[in-house]
Amino acid sequence: QVQLVESGGGLVQPGGSLRLSCTVSGSIFSINGMGWYRQTPGKQRELVAGIFSNGRTNYAESVKGRFTISRDNAKNTVYLQMNSLKPEDTAVYYCNTLAVVKAYWGQGTQVTVSS
């Protein structure tokens, strides 16, 4: 059974940093691109950053230059380093494969950027 567990969220002031982690159980990790997504109330979940199995990355325009996605294949973990956080980054953050599988959505981790 595949499980994705997100962690690392919290409350941070504008301009601060957080690092999110997503640990993947099961055998999907090494062969799939992984992504970080976020959702705020009343809005659709959006892809924030993605990393392919070859290490290539892509980012939403709103986070380019501030967020960095990385992966540790030995630990089956994907990370999202978030710097220069803004109030508009406030959301619940989730990870999933880039070819989204509904069954993989976890509980997410709440990120709140506020002074």
Side-chain angles (χ1 to χ4, degrees):
Q1 183 180 356
V2 175
Q3 273 193 310
L4 286 73
V5 180
E6 304 93 347
S7 62
L11 173 65
V12 64
Q13 292 189 339
S17 299
L18 283 174
R19 188 173 86 150
L20 307 183
S21 299
C22 170
T23 300
V24 182
S25 63
S27 60
I28 66 166
F29 188 81
S30 62
I31 63 172
N32 279 276
M34 298 296 299
W36 279 100
Y37 302 77
R38 68 185 180 188
Q39 187 171 28
T40 54
K43 291 190 176 180
Q44 278 198 321
R45 205 167 298 189
E46 63 171 348
L47 177 64
V48 173
I51 184 165
F52 295 89
S53 54
N54 63 5
R56 185 168 60 90
T57 59
N58 58 18
Y59 298 92
E61 283 297 321
S62 58
V63 306
K64 271 184 184 176
R66 300 188 299 120
F67 290 11
T68 303
I69 189 170
S70 61
R71 62 192 294 163
D72 185 334
N73 290 338
K75 294 182 178 180
N76 279 10
T77 300
V78 60
Y79 303 98
L80 186 67
Q81 177 66 44
M82 306 187 295
N83 299 328
S84 302
L85 283 160
K86 304 175 180 180
E88 52 264 42
D89 296 317
T90 296
V92 180
Y93 284 71
Y94 304 86
C95 63
N96 205 316
T97 51
L98 288 177
V100 170
V101 176
K102 285 182 75 174
Y104 293 168
W105 290 121
Q107 295 299 308
T109 186
Q110 174 72 48
V111 171
T112 303
V113 185
S114 175
S115 54

